[in-house]
Amino acid sequence: MAHESNGAIYTAAGANLAIAAAKFVGAFFTGSSAMLAEGVHSLVDTANQILLLIGLKRAKRPANARHPFGYGREIYFYAFIVALFIFLGGGAFAIYEGIHKIQHPEAPADAVIWGRTVPGLWVNLAILGFAVVAEGYSCLVAIRAFWSEKGSRPPITAIRRSKDPALFTVLVEDVAALLGLLVALAGVVLAHVLDWPALDGWSSVGIGLILIGMAIFLMIETHGLLIGEAADPELVAAIGTAMREEPGVHHVNAVLTQHLGPQDILVNVSLDMDDAMRAGEIEALVSRLEATLKREHPTVTRVFIEVQSRRDAAATPVPA
């Protein structure tokens, strides 16, 4: 799924950069705090996508003596940094700017473009309309990439169990951006219709709360990946089944897995084998099991098989 993640990230970065420029122009001409908050939000999103691309590139570095299991978790670290950026650079700033606007409300100023005066309302609406179209396209690309990965699982379950933070981070960012644009549109229109400029500030606060909520969700998800999560239960069960079907294996004591990256799974298995088997036979069996697992499950990159009696294994606590 790496190529799909990259495609979604590049699309999102390009859209957000164009949207940020348009929003900042609108905020400069009209003085809208919601527009300024949205501009900062889009700029932060652009920086976030660059960070994700850096994380994906660094995660591909080969293993070495200092990092024998490679750098796959780099993407988890950068995804966590992205969540912090959304929280601080997007959400906190939007709330701060919104509170300032509520305390000092001002109607959007008219813009003078090529010598002609254009009402500030129409400038804001035009820019927000452009942003909705661009962000909607970016979101569609992210949804398509995510849908191809999630399979038959419900979306929330798929996000919770996904090991590709680059993909679901972009998806969550795009959804938050669209929600923020709707709030900004509502704030701009209602502030004009009701002649209540403070509503522009309240919409900025609403945008900030949306971003903080999304950031907290991403922090929780990437935190679990950062400290190490097991593979999907279906994969763990398939590994156990493959082991039990092998002649000479009396009992599968434990199957322990951990994601070292989105497509990099470490497998550690404890097996109770037939005591009559010779060392050469055990070596052949272990080699065959390792080759089978890697062939049938391409995300399994490292397999360690421990030969241990069932009794001794039972005396060693194994995580449930």
Side-chain angles (χ1 to χ4, degrees), residues 27-282:
F28 174 78
F29 281 119
T30 66
S32 170
S33 64
M35 188 67 70
L36 180 61
E38 274 293 304
V40 172
H41 171 201
S42 296
L43 192 62
V44 169
D45 280 353
T46 304
N48 289 342
Q49 271 102 51
I50 294 173
L51 284 173
L52 288 175
L53 289 172
I54 292 173
L56 286 171
K57 184 176 181 179
R58 290 178 63 87
K60 294 178 181 178
R61 289 183 296 170
N64 53 39
R66 188 171 183 182
H67 297 275
F69 293 111
Y71 292 82
R73 284 186 181 169
E74 286 267 19
I75 184 57
Y76 299 155
F77 168 77
Y78 279 90
F80 190 80
I81 296 299
V82 164
L84 288 177
F85 268 40
I86 296 173
F87 186 93
L88 297 175
F93 176 82
I95 291 176
Y96 168 80
E97 183 65 22
I99 292 174
H100 176 76
K101 189 66 179 235
I102 292 170
Q103 294 173 339
H104 306 89
E106 294 179 6
D110 294 339
V112 179
I113 303 175
W114 294 319
R116 301 189 62 174
T117 301
V118 180
L121 172 67
W122 295 111
V123 173
N124 286 337
L125 290 180
I127 292 173
L128 289 173
F130 165 73
V132 167
V133 173
E135 199 68 65
Y137 174 73
S138 174
C139 190
L140 181 61
V141 172
I143 288 175
R144 285 176 175 171
F146 174 74
W147 228 254
S148 67
E149 180 190 81
K150 83 175 191 66
S152 60
R153 299 169 182 164
I156 295 298
T157 302
I159 291 176
R160 298 298 304 271
R161 295 177 64 174
S162 174
K163 312 304 179 183
D164 187 355
L167 185 55
F168 70 69
T169 297
V170 171
L171 177 62
V172 170
E173 276 187 347
D174 285 343
V175 171
L178 284 175
L179 291 176
L181 287 169
L182 293 177
V183 172
L185 277 169
V188 168
V189 172
L190 290 176
H192 175 77
V193 172
L194 301 177
D195 194 22
W196 188 7
L199 280 178
D200 185 53
W202 283 111
S203 67
S204 182
V205 172
I207 293 168
L209 292 176
I210 290 173
L211 294 178
I212 287 176
M214 292 294 187
I216 291 174
F217 175 77
L218 289 175
M219 285 180 190
I220 293 172
E221 292 305 308
T222 53
H223 169 262
L225 294 169
L226 192 58
I227 63 175
E229 282 190 2
D232 283 340
E234 292 88 346
L235 176 58
V236 176
I239 292 173
T241 299
M243 298 292 170
R244 294 184 190 92
E245 291 176 348
E246 190 68 32
V249 175
H250 286 329
H251 186 261
V252 178
N253 300 321
V255 178
L256 304 179
T257 62
Q258 187 174 98
H259 267 271
L260 303 177
Q263 304 294 322
D264 186 0
I265 299 175
L266 167 69
V267 176
N268 195 339
V269 184
S270 172
L271 301 177
D272 182 2
M273 295 186 177
D274 188 345
D275 293 338
M277 295 181 67
R278 296 180 179 180
E281 294 173 327
I282 294 177

